Amino acid sequence: MTLSSKIAIAFGVLSLLLAVWALLLARSRRKHIRQGRELSAEAQAANSRVQAAEGRTRTEVQKRQAAESRTQELTTREAEILDEVRHLVSDRLPALALHLISSHHPVPGLLHKNLAGSEAAQLLDALPEAVSGIVLKERRRIDAAARAALRGATQESQALSYRLQTNIVGLQHEFSAPPRLTQSLLESDHINEQNLRLTQRSAIVCGGWPGHVRKDTYVSEVVSGASSRLRGFDRINIVSRLGLSNIGVVGRAAEPVAVVCAELMANALEHSRDDLMVDVGLIQTGNGSVCITIDDAGKGMTAEALARGRSLISGEQQEVMLLELGDPPSMGFAAIGRLVADYGLHVSIDTSSPYGGVRAVVSVPENLLTSIDESATPPSVMAPQPAVAPQAHKRPAAADSPAHAPAPTGASALPQRRRRFSATATNDETAAAPRPLNPEDTGAMWSDFQSGLTGDRSVTDSESTL
């Protein structure tokens, strides 16, 4: 074998070995690559599992935190509701009881404003409303029973007072009693009148009627008769400015008007000093109605009392409970409101009197007024007569006037003031001189007074009572 053959064989073997090594190397490389890919996939899968585990852990933590937050919120809400319940029991319900007595007492709301609109807040607010409705319903039932009992008692008391009045009047006219006994009878009669007014007022507030029906009565007699029912009637000064003296109140409204005037005059007397007068004026307006003004010189009324009085005398309240009138009940304005609503009168206490007190005005509409025949039914001698309009003084004629004194001359002379109408002044002074008392005239005046008193009593006795 030649050398070249050997060399060729060696190269062939070497090429074969190289090819085998390259083949083995490529196979090993593919194996390593495959293993690397498998390891990478396993690492990615492990990483994904780790991330999923971390996500689950975070979710569990969030759920646990949410549960703790919810638990804390429920605990806080429970504490707030318990506070609201305590506030309802200790503050709101007692304030509601005071509010039902007087609206000036406010009812507090919720302590925690964040509960507003929730179901718990609606229930907490519904409870006072339910309690208020139940209490008002029960109060109305009790008040109705009390008014019914008081109405029955006042009716019996009124009947007895009228009988007592009749007996006292009979004693006054049955025999000639000594002056001291006559004075005692008059005082007893006046006391009975005051008691009768209080009983009558209570009956009206409780839904009863004034007690008796009069005939058509002069306006001046209605007002003077109302003043005679009061203690301190001598402090009431009645001035009639009516254009006609025959203006009267129809029978069905005469007693209600008298009750209204009596209550307003009693209020004026009560709220002014004992040495102050109460002025009462009778005025006929242009629209045909008659206004009765009552002016006192008291301290006036507070804004709260004035608002309360307006509400009561307006007659708009269909039902006034006795519990709302104070302790003891002040029934004067409530009785006026009843009569205003029933008879169509109008009463106001909105203005101040010229003396700094309160001016009350009673307006009697035209449909409650009438004209009375003075010849058939003369007015009482005790009723105020219409005021006569003042007449202007007439200037005397030139012939009657005294001669003028000569005008002063000279620079030092001053003008002289001269009195005019000296003759008129002399006549006035002469007319103003007191007249000597005549026993016969005095007896005649007293006889007229007794006749008027007897006529008034006979009308009262003949009226239908309870």
Side-chain angles (χ1 to χ4, degrees):
M1 182 179 296
T2 60
L3 180 59
S4 58
S5 299
K6 291 181 179 179
I7 292 173
I9 293 170
F11 273 112
V13 172
L14 182 58
S15 298
L16 181 59
L17 291 174
L18 289 173
V20 171
W21 180 77
L23 180 62
L24 293 174
L25 183 62
R27 182 179 293 176
S28 176
R29 183 179 179 183
R30 286 196 298 272
K31 183 178 179 181
H32 284 297
I33 291 172
R34 186 171 61 253
Q35 291 177 351
R37 290 177 177 174
E38 291 177 353
L39 291 176
S40 177
E42 291 178 358
Q44 291 178 357
N47 189 23
S48 299
R49 289 193 296 271
V50 171
Q51 291 179 355
E54 291 178 353
R56 289 193 297 271
T57 302
R58 284 195 298 271
T59 303
E60 292 295 333
V61 171
Q62 292 176 355
K63 290 182 179 179
R64 185 169 61 254
Q65 291 178 350
E68 292 176 354
S69 177
R70 180 64 176 169
T71 302
Q72 182 65 28
E73 181 181 354
L74 291 176
T75 303
T76 304
R77 181 61 61 88
E78 181 183 3
E80 291 177 351
I81 293 176
L82 288 177
D83 289 343
E84 291 292 347
V85 172
R86 296 190 190 97
H87 178 56
L88 177 68
V89 174
S90 61
D91 297 329
R92 297 183 68 184
L93 291 181
L96 176 64
L98 294 176
H99 181 75
L100 294 178
I101 298 174
S102 176
S103 59
H104 299 287
H105 296 278
V107 180
L110 297 174
L111 282 177
H112 305 281
K113 303 302 181 183
N114 58 322
L115 291 177
S118 63
E119 183 179 2
Q122 293 176 359
L123 293 175
L124 290 171
D125 289 336
L127 182 59
E129 295 179 2
V131 172
S132 176
I134 294 172
V135 172
L136 288 177
K137 183 178 180 180
E138 187 65 16
R139 284 178 59 185
R140 291 191 184 95
R141 186 187 68 82
I142 296 175
D143 197 83
R147 282 187 283 111
L150 184 58
R151 183 169 59 249
T154 53
Q155 288 176 351
E156 295 180 0
S157 179
Q158 274 184 288
L160 293 175
S161 295
Y162 282 125
R163 290 176 59 186
L164 178 60
Q165 183 183 56
T166 303
N167 291 339
I168 294 176
V169 173
L171 289 175
Q172 293 177 16
H173 299 283
E174 183 177 355
F175 59 92
S176 178
R180 186 174 180 180
L181 179 57
T182 303
Q183 181 66 24
S184 298
L185 289 175
L186 291 174
E187 292 177 356
S188 300
D189 188 18
H190 189 228
I191 292 174
N192 184 60
E193 285 278 0
Q194 298 176 50
N195 177 66
L196 184 58
R197 181 183 70 86
L198 299 179
T199 306
Q200 185 182 43
R201 180 181 64 184
S202 301
I204 293 172
V205 172
C206 294
W209 62 305
H212 64 272
V213 178
R214 294 189 179 193
K215 299 178 181 179
D216 295 346
T217 310
Y218 292 99
V219 175
S220 55
E221 289 187 3
V222 170
V223 178
S224 60
S227 66
S228 67
R229 305 176 182 182
L230 306 175
R231 179 186 179 188
F233 64 93
D234 53 337
R235 293 168 48 204
I236 298 176
N237 179 34
I238 303 176
V239 177
S240 175
R241 298 181 179 89
L242 298 175
L244 300 174
S245 60
N246 64 339
I247 301 177
V249 183
V250 296
R252 63 184 179 87
E255 184 63 18
V257 172
V259 172
V260 171
C261 293
E263 294 303 325
L264 292 175
M265 287 188 286
N267 187 71
L269 291 172
E270 181 180 356
H271 291 86
S272 57
R273 295 200 316 264
D274 293 342
D275 58 338
L276 297 176
M277 298 294 292
V278 174
D279 287 345
V280 179
L282 310 180
I283 305 172
Q284 188 174 12
T285 63
N287 59 6
S289 63
V290 169
C291 287
I292 305 167
T293 61
I294 301 170
D295 295 315
D296 65 68
K299 297 182 179 179
M301 301 175 67
T302 63
E304 179 181 356
L306 187 60
R308 176 63 174 166
R310 289 173 181 170
S311 176
L312 288 175
I313 67 175
S314 64
E316 297 176 355
Q317 291 183 319
Q318 298 297 327
E319 180 180 353
V320 179
M321 291 191 291
L322 297 178
L323 297 175
E324 298 176 352
L325 301 179
D327 184 15
S330 300
M331 298 185 179
F333 283 168
I336 293 174
R338 274 275 192 181
L339 297 175
V340 166
D342 292 343
Y343 293 90
L345 305 173
H346 182 268
V347 181
S348 65
I349 52 174
D350 300 332
T351 57
S352 300
S353 73
Y355 317 112
V358 176
R359 164 170 284 186
V361 180
V362 181
S363 179
V364 184
E366 188 177 6
N367 64 309
L368 297 181
L369 299 175
T370 186
S371 297
I372 302 177
D373 186 3
E374 294 182 326
S375 60
T377 308
S380 172
V381 295
M382 301 302 295
Q385 297 298 322
V388 180
Q391 297 180 356
H393 291 286
K394 295 182 180 180
R395 179 174 297 182
D400 298 335
S401 59
H404 294 287
T409 58
S412 61
L414 296 176
Q416 301 290 325
R417 174 174 294 179
R418 300 177 179 86
R419 294 185 60 185
R420 302 178 63 185
F421 313 125
S422 58
T424 304
T426 304
N427 293 336
D428 291 342
E429 293 175 358
T430 304
R435 294 180 301 173
L437 294 178
N438 188 345
E440 296 180 357
D441 294 342
T442 304
M445 292 175 60
W446 179 250
S447 177
D448 291 340
F449 169 73
Q450 291 289 344
S451 300
L453 183 62
T454 304
D456 182 69
R457 292 299 187 189
S458 61
V459 171
T460 304
D461 296 341
S462 62
E463 290 164 351
S464 58
T465 60
L466 300 173

